Amino acid sequence: MSRTRTAMLAALALVAGASGTAFAVVPDGVGAAAVPCTVDYKVQNQWSTGFTAAVTVTNNSAAKSSWSLKWSYAGDQKVTSGWNAKLSQSGAAVTAANESYNGTLATGGSASFGFQGTYSGTNAVPATFTLDGVTCNVDDGGGGPTDPPDPAGPKVDNPYAGAKVYVNPEWSAKAAAEPGGTRISNQPTGVWLDRIAAINGVNGGMGLRDHLDTALTQKGSGELVVQLVIYNLPGRDCAALASNGELGPTEIDKYKTQYIDPIAAILADPKYAGLRIVNTIEIDSLPNLVTNTGSRPTATPQCDVMKANGNYQKGVGYALNKLGDAPNVYNYIDAGHHGWIGWDDNFAPSAALFKEAATTEGATVNDVHGFITNTANYSALKENNFTINDNVAGKSVRESKWVDWNRYVDELSFAQAFRNQLVSIGFNSGIGMLIDTSRNGWGGAARPAGPGATTTVDTYVEGGRYDRRIHIGNWCNQAGAGLGERPKANPATGIDAYVWMKPPGESDGSSKFIENDEGKGFDGMCDPAYKGNPRNGNNPSGALPDSPLSGHWFSAQFQELMKNAYPAL
């Protein structure tokens, strides 16, 4: 049981314990009147060389129109960036002064700010804080040296670092049953909760508790990540009929009470507190509100409805808020891919929309640990044979038919740039990106060995690009695709992990209409004979034939992915 400290505590001496937290030592007879201010200093995330912290200062003296909080570190901590305060440092001494918008501190009023820093060795909480020169009490929120540790511990900077990742036994069995499938059947993949029934298991299959119980067995004495895909928004995927869901456009209350609330209750079970649970929050839907609405040629009536009713933002915000309550849960919002929102008129508006969703229905940016790109998509991780800055025959690569004025040519450059954009508009500076590499390898005999001919910018790009799709807007069961980079943690700057969130071998959609009770429609983009629409430049779909419903096992696709894997199996 943690102690609760209030302004009733007057700290005339402060003691730092072995846990690196500070707490107050209170002499007898000292009352509330002796406490001019209190400071709550929490290390939120910590890794081997850095940390983020949240600080709240409460003023119990006369009202202030401006304020300055100061402290000194005992170690080599350095503040590198901050938000909601002007932070400066000289040696070990740090000063946090108010911004123009939060200078007023009424009697009993509080101000909060945060920052990112570096350290080596230990990262002890400062022993003394002063507000405008007056010493404050320190409130560490109940984590003092005599408190038992939180069994789940604080959130780590990167949940994938130093951890195994859950292998779904149901997917693993299907993969192992395929010829050659045992080469990858031990890889971790996402568990898709794509309808209410999936929470308890469909047709005798594993439900969420079954997966988490199995994960506890796989965990052993180390750390283990479980990857869940939260995917059941009202009016889901308004521009892709194959992945429509069970909930109609207005069924936001049902989404909350029958889908998110039961998942949140399971994730909050103390039994699972030792697992690191990564949620991929609602793939594909939010970017549709930017790219497929209004007067754009790609607009659909269904997306206009969802933009008007706001239920995508409400659903995502509610999910972030409720699921993020558990200290061992890490939410990553789906952020499309470079071939969707990499253009100038989509890039910043998409980030702004994600911020809107992350600050509605009680959610805050602190409920967002990061973002994931390329979920269930095929965009190449890294195009090595050309860059966005190349010029050929007097023309920029951006002018090529394939790139078509996009700012990015691959997922890695896009994910890193989009992360910077998200931080610039108010997401925490410690957010990390995930990239789904389950189907973006593009290896095999068709993989170019080097750049294309420099005759024209189109021959240059066409001859050198790894991504062999007919058009970058093609998304359904793509012919020629291969497994990409195997899942790994910390593969590049700003990237928490490469993941296989979409289980290889699970269909994107059926190549013809199939009656079903899963709410899944038929999308021409999954028909190999389809001639296209404005969202793929009216090009052929490039889809494999004879595909089953989305999420169902597609043996021919699984074999294609293994054959064209890069790195090769």
Side-chain angles (χ1 to χ4, degrees), residues 365-561:
V365 293
N366 293 327
D367 292 313
V368 181
H369 204 75
F371 290 77
I372 179 169
T373 78
N374 205 44
T375 311
N377 208 266
Y378 297 85
S379 295
L381 178 65
K382 182 75 173 73
E383 291 283 9
N384 292 322
N385 293 327
F386 61 96
T387 76
I388 200 69
N389 300 315
D390 291 351
N391 287 276
V392 175
K395 288 194 172 185
S396 163
V397 156
R398 293 189 70 205
E399 298 179 68
S400 68
K401 183 179 179 182
W402 172 255
V403 178
D404 191 26
W405 297 102
N406 201 314
R407 287 277 178 196
Y408 306 94
V409 301
D410 53 36
E411 280 308 293
L412 182 57
S413 62
F414 165 74
Q416 290 170 325
F418 198 58
R419 179 188 176 281
N420 292 338
Q421 175 69 21
L422 292 159
V423 170
S424 77
I425 64 167
F427 283 98
N428 292 335
S429 59
I431 59 170
M433 306 297 286
L434 306 177
I435 301 177
D436 188 347
T437 58
S438 58
R439 305 184 301 177
N440 70 349
W442 296 104
R447 185 177 180 87
T454 55
T455 313
T456 67
V457 72
D458 281 323
T459 59
Y460 177 67
V461 171
E462 287 300 308
R465 64 181 172 96
Y466 298 141
D467 187 336
R468 306 310 299 170
R469 284 178 292 180
I470 298 168
H471 187 273
I472 204 165
N474 288 355
W475 54 266
C476 195
N477 301 324
Q478 291 298 284
L483 301 167
E485 288 282 347
R486 313 310 178 247
K488 66 174 72 169
N490 288 317
T493 302
I495 311 298
D496 281 352
Y498 296 152
V499 297
W500 283 6
M501 203 60 72
K502 173 73 172 182
E506 291 189 2
S507 174
D508 295 318
S510 58
S511 53
K512 61 184 179 183
F513 178 71
I514 299 174
E515 289 281 358
N516 67 91
D517 60 359
E518 301 173 29
K520 294 169 181 174
F522 165 66
D523 196 302
M525 290 293 286
C526 302
D527 177 1
Y530 185 61
K531 301 303 182 187
N533 59 49
R535 286 181 294 284
N536 81 327
N538 296 298
N539 284 283
S541 69
L544 292 168
D546 303 318
S547 57
L549 288 171
S550 63
H552 290 228
W553 191 255
F554 189 11
S555 177
Q557 186 206 45
F558 186 79
Q559 290 296 329
E560 182 108 333
L561 292 173

Side-chain angles (χ1 to χ4, degrees), residues 194-253:
D194 63 352
R195 50 196 146 138
I196 292 168
I199 299 170
N200 292 321
V202 179
N203 298 325
M206 297 173 70
L208 178 54
R209 281 195 180 274
D210 299 320
H211 284 293
L212 295 177
D213 289 340
T214 305
L216 289 174
T217 302
Q218 291 186 16
K219 179 181 184 295
S221 60
E223 299 292 345
L224 184 124
V225 171
V226 180
Q227 302 175 125
L228 305 178
V229 179
I230 307 300
Y231 184 48
N232 199 29
L233 275 178
R236 186 178 76 192
D237 285 10
C238 56
L241 301 177
S243 45
N244 287 166
E246 64 185 350
L247 300 180
T250 62
E251 293 188 282
I252 185 67
D253 290 338

Side-chain angles (χ1 to χ4, degrees), residues 285-308:
S285 290
L286 281 174
N288 280 312
L289 302 186
V290 174
T291 64
N292 297 323
T293 55
S295 60
R296 293 198 182 203
T298 56
T300 71
Q302 296 93 328
C303 290
D304 283 332
V305 167
M306 298 316 300
K307 184 171 184 177

Side-chain angles (χ1 to χ4, degrees), residues 154-174:
K155 278 189 169 64
V156 296
D157 175 60
N158 180 359
Y160 289 86
K164 297 184 296 185
V165 186
Y166 175 64
V167 177
N168 179 349
E170 292 185 311
W171 174 82
S172 182
K174 292 173 184 173

